Amino acid sequence: MHKSVVLIPTYNESDSIVHLINDLRKIDIDIIVIDDDSPDQTSQLVKNLDYSHVRVIDNGAKKGIGTAYISGFKIALQDDYEFVATMDADGSHSVKDLQKMLNQGPTCDVVMGVRWIKGGSVTNWSLHRKLLSQFGTWYAGKALKMKYRDLTGGLRVYRATALKRLNLDVIGSNGYCFQIEMIRAFSQLNAHMSEIPITFVEREHGKSKMSKGIVFEAFYLVSLWGIQRILKVNADKLHYVK
Ligand SMILES: Nc1nc2c(ncn2[C@@H]2O[C@H](COP(=O)(O)OP(=O)(O)OP(=O)(O)O)[C@@H](O)[C@H]2O)c(=O)[nH]1
Ligand SMILES: [Mg+2]
């Protein structure tokens, strides 16, 4: 068992997942794939590899990315890993960037992979996707008063001791808003967070799961949290903190 584990949520990623798992062999890390009963047999493909450092959690049905991550976090914490990373299955995140972030891990609670800073980049995304992503970070930053430069990215490294201080069961968002909510929760912990530039490359295989519903969930929840912040609702109650 390695001291770090990477959680990879999957839904219909049979064209990418095996390549990614093999690429991850370059670094010292265990892998937990959390699959939502993908019809394309993603889960079975991973099991067929039969690697001792790779596990698959079958989540049973399509429950969303947030539920998948929370199941993964709970298992990773139970198993006493020191660092818990998260990564997309579609090849958009690089193993090299993950290694850089793991190297930074011991000095902070959360390492965020950031596309929108010097040294970071996004390849093959339409202008519309770039604007949507940048707007999401800008809007969430204003609403929640958080000055981070990529709040929606999925490449992160969390220190297990910091994750253990969070009440994971109250993290309720289930689309890409989940990434924003994690940073919101860690902000309540006054966690030490750092940002590292990463290279993001649009998937070459499979389909994006981005949908209007996911964008709406993020807009609705971030607006609600922003109003609660301004009105100081629950100001005395740091409900993410155990
Ligand atoms: N378990 C699980 N994983 C999911 C679900 N939705 C998305 N994922 C995974 O989450 C990761 C990110 O999803 P993507 O579809 O690549 O979304 P994205 O990167 O924002 O969008 P694209 O750039 O268009 O690919 C991928 O590994 C997906 O397979 C889900 O409902 N359940
Ligand atoms: Mg993607």
Side-chain angles (χ1 to χ4, degrees), residues 58-106:
D58 288 309
N59 245 357
K62 189 153 184 348
K63 297 181 192 158
I65 198 170
T67 309
Y69 275 131
I70 298 294
S71 322
F73 285 144
K74 288 184 175 169
I75 291 167
L77 293 181
Q78 252 167 33
D79 289 358
D80 271 337
Y81 286 101
E82 232 175 286
F83 297 101
V84 186
T86 61
M87 187 176 203
D88 289 356
D90 56 0
S92 289
H93 296 146
S94 85
V95 171
K96 209 168 139 201
D97 284 336
L98 176 61
Q99 178 68 77
K100 263 196 307 184
M101 292 165 68
L102 287 165
N103 293 345
Q104 178 98 358

mmCIF file of all heavy atoms in Angstrom, residues 58-106:
data_model
loop_
_atom_site.group_PDB
_atom_site.id
_atom_site.type_symbol
_atom_site.label_atom_id
_atom_site.label_comp_id
_atom_site.label_asym_id
_atom_site.label_seq_id
_atom_site.Cartn_x
_atom_site.Cartn_y
_atom_site.Cartn_z
ATOM 1 N N ASP A 58 -18.180 -0.135 -6.883
ATOM 2 C CA ASP A 58 -19.370 -0.078 -7.739
ATOM 3 C C ASP A 58 -20.465 0.647 -6.979
ATOM 4 O O ASP A 58 -20.996 0.120 -6.006
ATOM 5 C CB ASP A 58 -19.814 -1.505 -8.097
ATOM 6 C CG ASP A 58 -18.860 -2.153 -9.094
ATOM 7 O OD1 ASP A 58 -18.569 -1.522 -10.124
ATOM 8 O OD2 ASP A 58 -18.397 -3.273 -8.827
ATOM 9 N N ASN A 59 -20.781 1.851 -7.452
ATOM 10 C CA ASN A 59 -21.758 2.671 -6.726
ATOM 11 C C ASN A 59 -23.208 2.270 -7.017
ATOM 12 O O ASN A 59 -24.125 2.874 -6.481
ATOM 13 C CB ASN A 59 -21.539 4.155 -7.050
ATOM 14 C CG ASN A 59 -21.114 4.936 -5.823
ATOM 15 O OD1 ASN A 59 -21.034 4.384 -4.728
ATOM 16 N ND2 ASN A 59 -20.869 6.215 -6.005
ATOM 17 N N GLY A 60 -23.383 1.327 -7.935
ATOM 18 C CA GLY A 60 -24.719 0.751 -8.116
ATOM 19 C C GLY A 60 -25.586 1.410 -9.152
ATOM 20 O O GLY A 60 -26.235 0.733 -9.932
ATOM 21 N N ALA A 61 -25.584 2.736 -9.201
ATOM 22 C CA ALA A 61 -26.440 3.443 -10.170
ATOM 23 C C ALA A 61 -25.840 4.826 -10.389
ATOM 24 O O ALA A 61 -24.935 5.222 -9.661
ATOM 25 C CB ALA A 61 -27.841 3.582 -9.604
ATOM 26 N N LYS A 62 -26.349 5.553 -11.363
ATOM 27 C CA LYS A 62 -25.782 6.879 -11.625
ATOM 28 C C LYS A 62 -26.225 7.854 -10.545
ATOM 29 O O LYS A 62 -27.341 8.346 -10.547
ATOM 30 C CB LYS A 62 -26.160 7.378 -13.016
ATOM 31 C CG LYS A 62 -25.410 8.649 -13.378
ATOM 32 C CD LYS A 62 -25.230 8.804 -14.844
ATOM 33 C CE LYS A 62 -24.406 10.019 -15.270
ATOM 34 N NZ LYS A 62 -24.112 11.033 -14.307
ATOM 35 N N LYS A 63 -25.332 8.082 -9.599
ATOM 36 C CA LYS A 63 -25.683 8.935 -8.458
ATOM 37 C C LYS A 63 -24.971 10.283 -8.511
ATOM 38 O O LYS A 63 -25.153 11.107 -7.635
ATOM 39 C CB LYS A 63 -25.302 8.222 -7.162
ATOM 40 C CG LYS A 63 -26.069 6.923 -6.929
ATOM 41 C CD LYS A 63 -25.641 6.296 -5.618
ATOM 42 C CE LYS A 63 -26.164 4.889 -5.495
ATOM 43 N NZ LYS A 63 -25.380 4.094 -4.545
ATOM 44 N N GLY A 64 -24.091 10.475 -9.477
ATOM 45 C CA GLY A 64 -23.410 11.768 -9.602
ATOM 46 C C GLY A 64 -22.012 11.761 -9.015
ATOM 47 O O GLY A 64 -21.644 10.905 -8.215
ATOM 48 N N ILE A 65 -21.272 12.781 -9.421
ATOM 49 C CA ILE A 65 -19.844 12.838 -9.100
ATOM 50 C C ILE A 65 -19.597 13.081 -7.605
ATOM 51 O O ILE A 65 -18.655 12.542 -7.021
ATOM 52 C CB ILE A 65 -19.171 13.904 -9.994
ATOM 53 C CG1 ILE A 65 -17.679 13.738 -10.059
ATOM 54 C CG2 ILE A 65 -19.531 15.303 -9.593
ATOM 55 C CD1 ILE A 65 -17.032 14.605 -11.113
ATOM 56 N N GLY A 66 -20.475 13.869 -6.973
ATOM 57 C CA GLY A 66 -20.300 14.179 -5.547
ATOM 58 C C GLY A 66 -20.424 12.925 -4.696
ATOM 59 O O GLY A 66 -19.567 12.642 -3.846
ATOM 60 N N THR A 67 -21.473 12.160 -4.948
ATOM 61 C CA THR A 67 -21.693 10.918 -4.198
ATOM 62 C C THR A 67 -20.509 9.969 -4.407
ATOM 63 O O THR A 67 -20.050 9.306 -3.466
ATOM 64 C CB THR A 67 -23.003 10.244 -4.660
ATOM 65 O OG1 THR A 67 -24.022 11.231 -4.606
ATOM 66 C CG2 THR A 67 -23.383 9.071 -3.811
ATOM 67 N N ALA A 68 -20.013 9.928 -5.635
ATOM 68 C CA ALA A 68 -18.869 9.050 -5.937
ATOM 69 C C ALA A 68 -17.652 9.471 -5.118
ATOM 70 O O ALA A 68 -17.004 8.637 -4.470
ATOM 71 C CB ALA A 68 -18.556 9.112 -7.430
ATOM 72 N N TYR A 69 -17.338 10.764 -5.112
ATOM 73 C CA TYR A 69 -16.181 11.235 -4.351
ATOM 74 C C TYR A 69 -16.332 10.967 -2.861
ATOM 75 O O TYR A 69 -15.381 10.551 -2.195
ATOM 76 C CB TYR A 69 -15.964 12.734 -4.563
ATOM 77 C CG TYR A 69 -15.150 13.060 -5.797
ATOM 78 C CD1 TYR A 69 -15.592 14.011 -6.701
ATOM 79 C CD2 TYR A 69 -13.932 12.437 -6.038
ATOM 80 C CE1 TYR A 69 -14.846 14.332 -7.826
ATOM 81 C CE2 TYR A 69 -13.181 12.746 -7.154
ATOM 82 C CZ TYR A 69 -13.636 13.694 -8.044
ATOM 83 O OH TYR A 69 -12.894 13.998 -9.148
ATOM 84 N N ILE A 70 -17.533 11.213 -2.329
ATOM 85 C CA ILE A 70 -17.719 11.023 -0.878
ATOM 86 C C ILE A 70 -17.490 9.544 -0.517
ATOM 87 O O ILE A 70 -16.811 9.240 0.462
ATOM 88 C CB ILE A 70 -19.123 11.504 -0.404
ATOM 89 C CG1 ILE A 70 -19.294 13.017 -0.658
ATOM 90 C CG2 ILE A 70 -19.360 11.180 1.074
ATOM 91 C CD1 ILE A 70 -18.403 13.925 0.140
ATOM 92 N N SER A 71 -18.031 8.614 -1.335
ATOM 93 C CA SER A 71 -17.769 7.180 -1.054
ATOM 94 C C SER A 71 -16.269 6.921 -1.069
ATOM 95 O O SER A 71 -15.736 6.206 -0.219
ATOM 96 C CB SER A 71 -18.364 6.239 -2.103
ATOM 97 O OG SER A 71 -19.572 6.666 -2.554
ATOM 98 N N GLY A 72 -15.577 7.501 -2.043
ATOM 99 C CA GLY A 72 -14.125 7.293 -2.158
ATOM 100 C C GLY A 72 -13.373 7.882 -0.964
ATOM 101 O O GLY A 72 -12.479 7.230 -0.416
ATOM 102 N N PHE A 73 -13.745 9.095 -0.562
ATOM 103 C CA PHE A 73 -13.063 9.723 0.586
ATOM 104 C C PHE A 73 -13.197 8.844 1.828
ATOM 105 O O PHE A 73 -12.241 8.643 2.566
ATOM 106 C CB PHE A 73 -13.673 11.095 0.910
ATOM 107 C CG PHE A 73 -13.301 12.199 -0.045
ATOM 108 C CD1 PHE A 73 -14.221 13.193 -0.383
ATOM 109 C CD2 PHE A 73 -12.025 12.270 -0.604
ATOM 110 C CE1 PHE A 73 -13.896 14.213 -1.256
ATOM 111 C CE2 PHE A 73 -11.685 13.294 -1.483
ATOM 112 C CZ PHE A 73 -12.624 14.266 -1.807
ATOM 113 N N LYS A 74 -14.408 8.325 2.046
ATOM 114 C CA LYS A 74 -14.638 7.531 3.263
ATOM 115 C C LYS A 74 -13.743 6.291 3.275
ATOM 116 O O LYS A 74 -13.145 5.959 4.296
ATOM 117 C CB LYS A 74 -16.117 7.142 3.377
ATOM 118 C CG LYS A 74 -16.981 8.347 3.743
ATOM 119 C CD LYS A 74 -18.422 7.959 3.961
ATOM 120 C CE LYS A 74 -19.205 9.177 4.440
ATOM 121 N NZ LYS A 74 -20.651 8.956 4.423
ATOM 122 N N ILE A 75 -13.632 5.645 2.134
ATOM 123 C CA ILE A 75 -12.789 4.445 2.071
ATOM 124 C C ILE A 75 -11.313 4.818 2.247
ATOM 125 O O ILE A 75 -10.581 4.175 2.997
ATOM 126 C CB ILE A 75 -13.031 3.698 0.746
ATOM 127 C CG1 ILE A 75 -14.435 3.105 0.804
ATOM 128 C CG2 ILE A 75 -11.993 2.613 0.509
ATOM 129 C CD1 ILE A 75 -14.956 2.622 -0.494
ATOM 130 N N ALA A 76 -10.903 5.892 1.600
ATOM 131 C CA ALA A 76 -9.499 6.314 1.696
ATOM 132 C C ALA A 76 -9.142 6.673 3.147
ATOM 133 O O ALA A 76 -8.042 6.354 3.618
ATOM 134 C CB ALA A 76 -9.255 7.505 0.782
ATOM 135 N N LEU A 77 -10.060 7.305 3.850
ATOM 136 C CA LEU A 77 -9.776 7.696 5.240
ATOM 137 C C LEU A 77 -9.751 6.468 6.150
ATOM 138 O O LEU A 77 -8.901 6.358 7.035
ATOM 139 C CB LEU A 77 -10.803 8.722 5.736
ATOM 140 C CG LEU A 77 -10.740 10.093 5.033
ATOM 141 C CD1 LEU A 77 -11.781 11.051 5.601
ATOM 142 C CD2 LEU A 77 -9.346 10.713 5.141
ATOM 143 N N GLN A 78 -10.693 5.566 5.904
ATOM 144 C CA GLN A 78 -10.697 4.309 6.681
ATOM 145 C C GLN A 78 -9.370 3.574 6.538
ATOM 146 O O GLN A 78 -8.862 2.965 7.464
ATOM 147 C CB GLN A 78 -11.758 3.375 6.094
ATOM 148 C CG GLN A 78 -13.000 3.190 6.944
ATOM 149 C CD GLN A 78 -14.068 2.502 6.092
ATOM 150 O OE1 GLN A 78 -13.754 1.682 5.230
ATOM 151 N NE2 GLN A 78 -15.311 2.849 6.348
ATOM 152 N N ASP A 79 -8.824 3.634 5.324
ATOM 153 C CA ASP A 79 -7.601 2.875 5.030
ATOM 154 C C ASP A 79 -6.324 3.615 5.413
ATOM 155 O O ASP A 79 -5.229 3.137 5.106
ATOM 156 C CB ASP A 79 -7.560 2.499 3.539
ATOM 157 C CG ASP A 79 -8.589 1.434 3.222
ATOM 158 O OD1 ASP A 79 -9.277 0.993 4.165
ATOM 159 O OD2 ASP A 79 -8.728 1.060 2.045
ATOM 160 N N ASP A 80 -6.506 4.792 6.027
ATOM 161 C CA ASP A 80 -5.359 5.528 6.585
ATOM 162 C C ASP A 80 -4.316 5.995 5.580
ATOM 163 O O ASP A 80 -3.116 5.991 5.888
ATOM 164 C CB ASP A 80 -4.668 4.685 7.674
ATOM 165 C CG ASP A 80 -5.312 4.955 9.015
ATOM 166 O OD1 ASP A 80 -5.915 6.035 9.153
ATOM 167 O OD2 ASP A 80 -5.229 4.078 9.893
ATOM 168 N N TYR A 81 -4.738 6.378 4.395
ATOM 169 C CA TYR A 81 -3.799 7.020 3.468
ATOM 170 C C TYR A 81 -3.448 8.393 4.027
ATOM 171 O O TYR A 81 -4.249 9.008 4.731
ATOM 172 C CB TYR A 81 -4.436 7.182 2.084
ATOM 173 C CG TYR A 81 -4.526 5.883 1.332
ATOM 174 C CD1 TYR A 81 -5.729 5.189 1.268
ATOM 175 C CD2 TYR A 81 -3.414 5.347 0.701
ATOM 176 C CE1 TYR A 81 -5.826 3.981 0.590
ATOM 177 C CE2 TYR A 81 -3.500 4.138 0.014
ATOM 178 C CZ TYR A 81 -4.697 3.470 -0.041
ATOM 179 O OH TYR A 81 -4.785 2.282 -0.709
ATOM 180 N N GLU A 82 -2.266 8.883 3.657
ATOM 181 C CA GLU A 82 -1.856 10.206 4.132
ATOM 182 C C GLU A 82 -2.390 11.308 3.221
ATOM 183 O O GLU A 82 -2.783 12.374 3.679
ATOM 184 C CB GLU A 82 -0.326 10.261 4.114
ATOM 185 C CG GLU A 82 0.300 10.706 5.405
ATOM 186 C CD GLU A 82 1.806 10.603 5.319
ATOM 187 O OE1 GLU A 82 2.337 9.462 5.371
ATOM 188 O OE2 GLU A 82 2.444 11.641 5.164
ATOM 189 N N PHE A 83 -2.400 11.034 1.909
ATOM 190 C CA PHE A 83 -2.885 12.021 0.941
ATOM 191 C C PHE A 83 -3.924 11.377 0.030
ATOM 192 O O PHE A 83 -3.745 10.236 -0.404
ATOM 193 C CB PHE A 83 -1.735 12.570 0.086
ATOM 194 C CG PHE A 83 -0.727 13.304 0.909
ATOM 195 C CD1 PHE A 83 0.458 12.694 1.278
ATOM 196 C CD2 PHE A 83 -0.990 14.591 1.373
ATOM 197 C CE1 PHE A 83 1.372 13.340 2.079
ATOM 198 C CE2 PHE A 83 -0.082 15.256 2.175
ATOM 199 C CZ PHE A 83 1.100 14.632 2.539
ATOM 200 N N VAL A 84 -4.995 12.143 -0.233
ATOM 201 C CA VAL A 84 -6.061 11.642 -1.097
ATOM 202 C C VAL A 84 -6.184 12.612 -2.275
ATOM 203 O O VAL A 84 -6.542 13.783 -2.097
ATOM 204 C CB VAL A 84 -7.405 11.564 -0.341
ATOM 205 C CG1 VAL A 84 -8.460 10.907 -1.221
ATOM 206 C CG2 VAL A 84 -7.248 10.811 0.978
ATOM 207 N N ALA A 85 -5.862 12.112 -3.458
ATOM 208 C CA ALA A 85 -5.938 12.953 -4.659
ATOM 209 C C ALA A 85 -7.225 12.649 -5.407
ATOM 210 O O ALA A 85 -7.847 11.596 -5.198
ATOM 211 C CB ALA A 85 -4.734 12.671 -5.548
ATOM 212 N N THR A 86 -7.645 13.583 -6.252
ATOM 213 C CA THR A 86 -8.790 13.332 -7.130
ATOM 214 C C THR A 86 -8.396 13.706 -8.555
ATOM 215 O O THR A 86 -7.617 14.633 -8.768
ATOM 216 C CB THR A 86 -10.030 14.176 -6.710
ATOM 217 O OG1 THR A 86 -9.713 15.571 -6.789
ATOM 218 C CG2 THR A 86 -10.467 13.836 -5.295
ATOM 219 N N MET A 87 -8.948 12.968 -9.495
ATOM 220 C CA MET A 87 -8.512 13.135 -10.892
ATOM 221 C C MET A 87 -9.625 12.666 -11.827
ATOM 222 O O MET A 87 -10.320 11.690 -11.509
ATOM 223 C CB MET A 87 -7.280 12.242 -11.071
ATOM 224 C CG MET A 87 -6.570 12.376 -12.367
ATOM 225 S SD MET A 87 -5.084 11.320 -12.314
ATOM 226 C CE MET A 87 -4.101 12.131 -13.557
ATOM 227 N N ASP A 88 -9.802 13.324 -12.961
ATOM 228 C CA ASP A 88 -10.784 12.866 -13.956
ATOM 229 C C ASP A 88 -10.228 11.662 -14.717
ATOM 230 O O ASP A 88 -9.015 11.542 -14.900
ATOM 231 C CB ASP A 88 -11.097 13.967 -14.973
ATOM 232 C CG ASP A 88 -11.923 15.095 -14.364
ATOM 233 O OD1 ASP A 88 -12.315 14.986 -13.189
ATOM 234 O OD2 ASP A 88 -12.166 16.080 -15.089
ATOM 235 N N ALA A 89 -11.138 10.840 -15.228
ATOM 236 C CA ALA A 89 -10.720 9.618 -15.930
ATOM 237 C C ALA A 89 -10.429 9.841 -17.406
ATOM 238 O O ALA A 89 -9.881 8.971 -18.071
ATOM 239 C CB ALA A 89 -11.829 8.574 -15.811
ATOM 240 N N ASP A 90 -10.828 10.995 -17.923
ATOM 241 C CA ASP A 90 -10.875 11.153 -19.377
ATOM 242 C C ASP A 90 -9.580 11.609 -20.029
ATOM 243 O O ASP A 90 -9.567 11.958 -21.207
ATOM 244 C CB ASP A 90 -12.004 12.133 -19.746
ATOM 245 C CG ASP A 90 -11.851 13.470 -19.052
ATOM 246 O OD1 ASP A 90 -10.887 13.633 -18.296
ATOM 247 O OD2 ASP A 90 -12.713 14.349 -19.270
ATOM 248 N N GLY A 91 -8.484 11.632 -19.265
ATOM 249 C CA GLY A 91 -7.201 12.028 -19.843
ATOM 250 C C GLY A 91 -6.973 13.530 -19.836
ATOM 251 O O GLY A 91 -5.944 14.001 -20.311
ATOM 252 N N SER A 92 -7.909 14.289 -19.274
ATOM 253 C CA SER A 92 -7.737 15.749 -19.248
ATOM 254 C C SER A 92 -6.672 16.183 -18.251
ATOM 255 O O SER A 92 -6.083 17.249 -18.388
ATOM 256 C CB SER A 92 -9.060 16.431 -18.886
ATOM 257 O OG SER A 92 -9.972 16.323 -19.946
ATOM 258 N N HIS A 93 -6.465 15.374 -17.220
ATOM 259 C CA HIS A 93 -5.463 15.712 -16.195
ATOM 260 C C HIS A 93 -4.210 14.867 -16.411
ATOM 261 O O HIS A 93 -4.302 13.687 -16.740
ATOM 262 C CB HIS A 93 -6.016 15.428 -14.800
ATOM 263 C CG HIS A 93 -7.203 16.273 -14.453
ATOM 264 N ND1 HIS A 93 -8.245 15.833 -13.679
ATOM 265 C CD2 HIS A 93 -7.496 17.550 -14.782
ATOM 266 C CE1 HIS A 93 -9.128 16.809 -13.542
ATOM 267 N NE2 HIS A 93 -8.708 17.853 -14.211
ATOM 268 N N SER A 94 -3.035 15.478 -16.165
ATOM 269 C CA SER A 94 -1.814 14.718 -16.444
ATOM 270 C C SER A 94 -1.198 14.152 -15.164
ATOM 271 O O SER A 94 -1.279 14.742 -14.083
ATOM 272 C CB SER A 94 -0.800 15.587 -17.187
ATOM 273 O OG SER A 94 -0.033 16.339 -16.287
ATOM 274 N N VAL A 95 -0.572 12.996 -15.325
ATOM 275 C CA VAL A 95 0.094 12.311 -14.218
ATOM 276 C C VAL A 95 1.269 13.171 -13.728
ATOM 277 O O VAL A 95 1.559 13.236 -12.534
ATOM 278 C CB VAL A 95 0.547 10.916 -14.686
ATOM 279 C CG1 VAL A 95 1.432 10.240 -13.660
ATOM 280 C CG2 VAL A 95 -0.674 10.047 -14.996
ATOM 281 N N LYS A 96 1.896 13.870 -14.668
ATOM 282 C CA LYS A 96 3.023 14.738 -14.313
ATOM 283 C C LYS A 96 2.569 15.853 -13.361
ATOM 284 O O LYS A 96 3.211 16.148 -12.360
ATOM 285 C CB LYS A 96 3.578 15.349 -15.607
ATOM 286 C CG LYS A 96 5.030 15.666 -15.563
ATOM 287 C CD LYS A 96 5.518 15.969 -16.962
ATOM 288 C CE LYS A 96 6.467 17.157 -16.905
ATOM 289 N NZ LYS A 96 6.609 17.824 -18.174
ATOM 290 N N ASP A 97 1.430 16.449 -13.677
ATOM 291 C CA ASP A 97 0.903 17.496 -12.785
ATOM 292 C C ASP A 97 0.533 16.912 -11.427
ATOM 293 O O ASP A 97 0.767 17.529 -10.391
ATOM 294 C CB ASP A 97 -0.339 18.160 -13.408
ATOM 295 C CG ASP A 97 0.017 19.128 -14.532
ATOM 296 O OD1 ASP A 97 1.153 19.635 -14.529
ATOM 297 O OD2 ASP A 97 -0.838 19.370 -15.410
ATOM 298 N N LEU A 98 -0.058 15.724 -11.436
ATOM 299 C CA LEU A 98 -0.429 15.090 -10.166
ATOM 300 C C LEU A 98 0.821 14.878 -9.310
ATOM 301 O O LEU A 98 0.818 15.142 -8.103
ATOM 302 C CB LEU A 98 -1.150 13.756 -10.420
ATOM 303 C CG LEU A 98 -1.497 12.957 -9.163
ATOM 304 C CD1 LEU A 98 -2.439 13.724 -8.246
ATOM 305 C CD2 LEU A 98 -2.127 11.611 -9.522
ATOM 306 N N GLN A 99 1.888 14.423 -9.930
ATOM 307 C CA GLN A 99 3.138 14.202 -9.179
ATOM 308 C C GLN A 99 3.645 15.511 -8.565
ATOM 309 O O GLN A 99 4.037 15.557 -7.399
ATOM 310 C CB GLN A 99 4.202 13.602 -10.104
ATOM 311 C CG GLN A 99 5.549 13.387 -9.451
ATOM 312 C CD GLN A 99 5.538 12.288 -8.384
ATOM 313 O OE1 GLN A 99 5.534 11.109 -8.702
ATOM 314 N NE2 GLN A 99 5.510 12.668 -7.105
ATOM 315 N N LYS A 100 3.596 16.589 -9.348
ATOM 316 C CA LYS A 100 4.022 17.913 -8.831
ATOM 317 C C LYS A 100 3.200 18.283 -7.609
ATOM 318 O O LYS A 100 3.699 18.796 -6.620
ATOM 319 C CB LYS A 100 3.755 18.985 -9.912
ATOM 320 C CG LYS A 100 4.918 19.353 -10.773
ATOM 321 C CD LYS A 100 4.687 20.664 -11.523
ATOM 322 C CE LYS A 100 3.398 20.722 -12.328
ATOM 323 N NZ LYS A 100 3.132 21.893 -13.132
ATOM 324 N N MET A 101 1.896 18.016 -7.710
ATOM 325 C CA MET A 101 0.992 18.393 -6.613
ATOM 326 C C MET A 101 1.234 17.524 -5.383
ATOM 327 O O MET A 101 1.167 17.996 -4.253
ATOM 328 C CB MET A 101 -0.457 18.305 -7.088
ATOM 329 C CG MET A 101 -0.759 19.379 -8.128
ATOM 330 S SD MET A 101 -2.281 19.083 -9.027
ATOM 331 C CE MET A 101 -3.485 19.312 -7.747
ATOM 332 N N LEU A 102 1.534 16.252 -5.599
ATOM 333 C CA LEU A 102 1.829 15.364 -4.461
ATOM 334 C C LEU A 102 3.123 15.804 -3.766
ATOM 335 O O LEU A 102 3.239 15.735 -2.546
ATOM 336 C CB LEU A 102 1.957 13.910 -4.928
ATOM 337 C CG LEU A 102 0.646 13.219 -5.304
ATOM 338 C CD1 LEU A 102 0.923 11.943 -6.087
ATOM 339 C CD2 LEU A 102 -0.205 12.902 -4.069
ATOM 340 N N ASN A 103 4.076 16.295 -4.559
ATOM 341 C CA ASN A 103 5.323 16.779 -3.960
ATOM 342 C C ASN A 103 5.063 17.965 -3.043
ATOM 343 O O ASN A 103 5.736 18.165 -2.045
ATOM 344 C CB ASN A 103 6.325 17.207 -5.049
ATOM 345 C CG ASN A 103 6.806 16.019 -5.860
ATOM 346 O OD1 ASN A 103 6.614 14.875 -5.452
ATOM 347 N ND2 ASN A 103 7.410 16.277 -7.010
ATOM 348 N N GLN A 104 4.071 18.753 -3.408
ATOM 349 C CA GLN A 104 3.706 19.950 -2.625
ATOM 350 C C GLN A 104 2.887 19.559 -1.397
ATOM 351 O O GLN A 104 2.804 20.297 -0.423
ATOM 352 C CB GLN A 104 2.869 20.863 -3.531
ATOM 353 C CG GLN A 104 2.353 22.115 -2.903
ATOM 354 C CD GLN A 104 3.256 23.295 -3.244
ATOM 355 O OE1 GLN A 104 4.264 23.120 -3.927
ATOM 356 N NE2 GLN A 104 2.919 24.463 -2.765
ATOM 357 N N GLY A 105 2.240 18.368 -1.471
ATOM 358 C CA GLY A 105 1.290 17.923 -0.447
ATOM 359 C C GLY A 105 1.712 18.135 0.996
ATOM 360 O O GLY A 105 0.963 18.711 1.786
ATOM 361 N N PRO A 106 2.921 17.704 1.381
ATOM 362 C CA PRO A 106 3.286 17.771 2.800
ATOM 363 C C PRO A 106 3.264 19.170 3.395
ATOM 364 O O PRO A 106 3.229 19.321 4.604
ATOM 365 C CB PRO A 106 4.713 17.208 2.809
ATOM 366 C CG PRO A 106 4.791 16.352 1.595
ATOM 367 C CD PRO A 106 3.922 16.993 0.572
#
